[in-house]
């Protein structure tokens, strides 16, 4: 155990917290003194049995007196605990009979250390010794959150907070740390130095990543859905489409997905789009909750993926890319020509001629002089009227046109 602690000590840069239930060697105590001389804060927590050993060993006792004069904090805890060391609020080593093992939750051990110190007795503290109370109101925050440093120092001539400068003996300061930060306070008088640190863990905005994709009804290939605008998390899909929802949340203790009652920091879930659905991703990071709300709107017909923009120079190209179903319908009609009699063939030819005229007329209006002669709303109205007259003898097509007209009039 002593050699393991020595390895941790050699690596520390800002702060060392050593919690031991065995008497530290003279070499370890000397190494701690060296850290203090370099301006590194040292906190030593020992059990009652270890405290008694130190008091009855003149060499260990004198070493601890030197530690206290140079700024270390030494505490005695009445109850049993496991031994561990925390270097710079980042690295944790646990010591037991099996040796050194990695830590599962550094934050939990930091909070456990504060709890031990709160219920402990200062070792050999005298009335005229420097006494420091130094804390931050929240030790885990997100970037740009505001925190408050508070301090109260007794029996010191000078009080300095690194990065802030010399301060009054009692005070507070509001800060917005942008990264993980160790705040260090030094208090000094003619006979003694004392160092304290406190730490704030800063997270970027919690990374909640997800994708929504829908399967093509014929190919069954998935295509990602596009949100209606940047950052709105609102999507649209046709009724009856099979939708795949995939999510991944980084640095979270617990993640739940509603209304599907799913759990886990990542996963994939598929469902049939039958109605408007609100998806909630609820994530927790060290008791801090974050929610991402996603809206999936379900429409009775297929809708354009992107909104039409009147000022787009590529309007014609965009529209042509958005009408694959027309080609499919014409191909289907072509394949069925053999089943129609002559009279139906003549009717279809007449319809195709009228349809050609309508398409050419619409092309002239929309793509050549649309911005001078009319707007998209009036063109749509005319197109729907022509199509309605053209297919009035086909109720199924008329119903689809009516649904499309109702949808676009709501925009």
């Amino acid at each position: 155990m002593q050699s393991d602690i020595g390895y941790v000590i050699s690596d520390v840069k800002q702060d060392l917290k050593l919690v031991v239930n065995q008497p530290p060697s003279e070499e370890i105590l000397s190494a701690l003194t060296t850290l203090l001389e370099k301006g590194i804060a040292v906190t030593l927590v020992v059990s009652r049995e270890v405290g008694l050993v130190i008091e009855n060993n003149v060499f260990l006792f004198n070493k601890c007196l030197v530690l206290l004069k140079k700024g270390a904090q030494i505490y005695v805890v009445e109850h049993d605990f496991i031994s561990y060391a925390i270097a710079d609020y980042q690295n944790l080593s646990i010591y037991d009979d099996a040796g050194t093992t990695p830590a599962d939750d550094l934050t939990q051990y930091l909070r456990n250390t504060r709890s031990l110190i709160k219920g402990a007795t200062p070792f050999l503290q005298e009335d005229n010794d420097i006494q420091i109370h130094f804390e931050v109101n929240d030790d885990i925050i997100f970037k740009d959150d505001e925190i408050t440093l508070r301090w109260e120092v007794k029996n010191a001539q000078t009080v300095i907070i690194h990065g802030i400068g010399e301060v009054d003996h009692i005070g507070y300061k509001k800060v917005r740390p942008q990264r993980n930060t160790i705040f260090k306070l030094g208090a000094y008088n003619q006979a003694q130095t004392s160092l304290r640190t406190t730490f704030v863990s800063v997270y970027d905005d919690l990374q909640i990543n997800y994708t929504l994709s829908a399967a093509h009804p014929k190919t069954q290939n998935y295509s990602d859905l596009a949100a209606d605008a940047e950052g709105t998390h609102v999507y649209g899909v046709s009724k009856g489409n099979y939708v795949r929802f995939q999510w991944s949340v980084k640095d979270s203790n617990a993640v739940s997905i509603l209304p599907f009652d799913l759990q886990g920091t990542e996963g994939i879930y598929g469902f049939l789009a039958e109605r408007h659905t609100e998806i909630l991703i609820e994530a927790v990071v060290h008791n801090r909750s974050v929610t991402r709300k996603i809206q999936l709107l379900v429409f009775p017909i297929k809708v354009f993926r992107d909104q039409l923009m009147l000022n787009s120079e590529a309007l014609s190209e965009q529209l042509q890319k958005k009408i694959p179903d027309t080609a499919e319908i014409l191909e289907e009609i072509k394949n069925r020509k053999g089943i129609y009699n002559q009279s139906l063939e003549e009717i279809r030819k007449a319809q195709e001629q009228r349809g050609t005229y309508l398409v050419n007329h619409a092309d002239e209006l929309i793509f050549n002089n649309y911005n001078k002669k009319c707007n998209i709303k009036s063109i749509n109205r005319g197109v729907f009227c022509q199509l309605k007259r053209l297919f009035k003898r086909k109720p199924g097509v008329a119903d689809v046109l009516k649904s499309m007209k109702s949808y676009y009039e709501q925009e």
Side-chain angles (χ1 to χ4, degrees):
M1 171 181 165
Q2 301 287 343
S3 61
D4 290 335
I5 294 177
Y7 177 77
V8 174
I9 291 175
S10 66
D11 229 13
V12 68
K13 298 294 187 299
Q14 294 289 334
D15 179 274
L16 176 68
K17 301 187 186 305
L18 192 59
V19 180
V20 293
N21 55 16
Q22 296 182 24
S25 66
E26 292 184 49
E27 292 75 16
I28 294 297
L29 295 178
S30 295
L32 296 181
T33 301
T34 301
L35 293 182
L36 291 165
E37 291 171 348
K38 295 179 179 179
I40 297 172
V42 173
T43 301
L44 177 62
V45 181
V46 301
S47 64
R48 169 53 60 187
E49 291 75 13
V50 173
L52 292 174
V53 171
I54 292 174
E55 290 179 359
N56 293 312
N57 185 311
V58 63
F59 299 104
L60 297 180
F61 185 79
N62 286 334
K63 292 284 186 184
C64 287
L65 285 179
V66 173
L67 286 176
L68 291 172
K69 292 299 180 183
K70 289 184 176 293
Q73 312 303 316
I74 304 178
Y75 298 95
V76 178
V77 178
E78 296 293 337
H79 56 81
D80 294 333
F81 49 81
I82 63 171
S83 296
Y84 57 89
I86 303 175
D88 297 327
Y89 293 90
Q90 300 178 27
N91 303 314
L92 170 65
S93 295
I94 305 173
Y95 307 97
D96 52 26
D97 294 337
T100 304
T101 58
D104 293 328
D105 191 343
L106 175 62
T107 301
Q108 185 58 44
Y109 275 91
L110 286 170
R111 291 177 173 176
N112 181 63
T113 304
R114 286 196 293 271
S115 178
L116 286 175
I117 292 174
K118 187 176 181 179
T121 303
F123 183 72
L124 300 178
Q125 185 180 77
E126 299 180 0
D127 291 340
N128 61 347
D129 284 343
I130 295 175
Q131 299 177 32
I132 300 174
H133 178 73
F134 186 44
E135 67 176 6
V136 63
N137 65 318
D138 197 349
D139 60 346
I140 298 177
I141 64 172
F142 287 98
K143 186 178 290 187
D144 295 324
D145 281 355
E146 184 179 77
I147 59 170
T148 302
L149 285 171
R150 295 186 182 276
W151 63 90
E152 182 176 353
V153 182
K154 297 179 180 180
N155 303 323
Q157 294 175 337
T158 305
V159 180
I160 296 175
I161 299 178
H162 291 216
I164 298 176
E166 187 172 345
V167 297
D168 293 335
H169 289 63
I170 300 176
Y172 72 92
K173 185 174 181 61
K174 295 183 181 295
V175 294
R176 296 180 184 272
Q178 298 299 302
R179 61 185 65 86
N180 292 350
T181 304
I182 298 175
F183 295 97
K184 184 187 295 184
L185 183 149
Y188 312 91
N189 61 27
Q190 294 179 347
Q192 188 182 17
T193 294
S194 189
L195 297 175
R196 288 285 198 286
T197 64
T198 188
F199 177 72
V200 177
S201 180
V202 180
Y203 282 83
D204 288 333
D205 187 19
L206 186 63
Q207 297 182 19
I208 299 180
N209 301 314
Y210 71 90
T211 57
L212 277 170
S213 53
H216 191 279
K218 290 187 176 181
T219 65
Q220 297 303 309
N221 293 328
Y222 282 91
S223 299
D224 289 348
L225 299 177
D228 67 342
E230 184 66 26
T232 60
H233 305 285
V234 178
Y235 300 82
V237 70
S238 299
K239 183 176 182 179
N241 271 121
Y242 194 78
V243 177
R244 183 172 63 189
F245 174 60
Q246 185 171 0
W247 75 93
S248 174
V249 184
K250 184 181 178 182
D251 296 329
S252 178
N253 310 90
V255 177
S256 61
I257 311 296
L258 301 174
F260 308 124
D261 293 328
L262 302 174
Q263 305 289 330
T265 57
E266 60 182 16
I268 300 176
Y269 180 75
F271 60 96
L272 199 64
E274 292 292 342
R275 62 183 64 86
H276 297 332
T277 304
E278 181 178 84
I279 302 173
L280 295 179
I281 305 177
E282 297 180 345
V284 178
V285 177
H286 299 297
N287 301 320
R288 187 77 175 266
S289 297
V290 178
T291 300
R292 171 78 74 239
K293 182 185 295 184
I294 305 164
Q295 295 282 349
L296 180 63
L297 306 180
V298 178
F299 302 99
I301 58 172
K302 295 182 178 180
V303 296
F304 290 151
R305 178 175 175 177
D306 299 319
Q307 294 179 350
L308 298 178
M309 301 299 294
L310 290 177
N311 60 351
S312 173
E313 296 180 358
L315 178 60
S316 175
E317 181 182 352
Q318 291 179 9
L319 287 176
Q320 290 174 3
K321 290 180 179 179
K322 303 302 181 181
I323 55 172
D325 292 339
T326 303
E328 293 179 6
I329 293 173
L330 292 176
E331 184 66 21
E332 184 178 352
I333 293 174
K334 181 179 178 181
N335 294 334
R336 293 183 179 182
K337 281 184 178 181
I339 65 173
Y340 290 100
N341 57 33
Q342 185 62 32
S343 60
L344 290 178
E345 186 72 21
E346 293 175 355
I347 293 173
R348 177 148 41 86
K349 286 182 179 180
Q351 290 174 341
E352 288 178 353
Q353 290 176 356
R354 288 195 295 270
T356 300
Y357 170 79
L358 175 62
V359 171
N360 291 336
H361 187 60
D363 181 79
E364 180 182 358
L365 286 175
I366 295 175
F367 303 119
N368 295 333
N369 298 295
Y370 70 91
N371 60 336
K372 297 179 181 179
K373 295 182 178 181
C374 54
N375 54 48
I376 290 295
K377 184 175 181 180
S378 63
I379 291 173
N380 284 342
R381 188 183 301 112
V383 170
F384 280 122
C385 289
Q386 291 284 2
L387 292 176
K388 183 178 179 180
R389 286 195 295 270
L390 184 62
F391 295 102
K392 64 182 179 179
R393 296 183 182 277
K394 295 184 178 183
V397 176
D399 289 341
V400 172
L401 293 174
K402 182 178 179 181
S403 177
M404 291 176 65
K405 183 173 183 297
S406 176
Y407 170 74
Y408 282 108
E409 286 180 346
Q410 295 177 7
E411 293 298 314

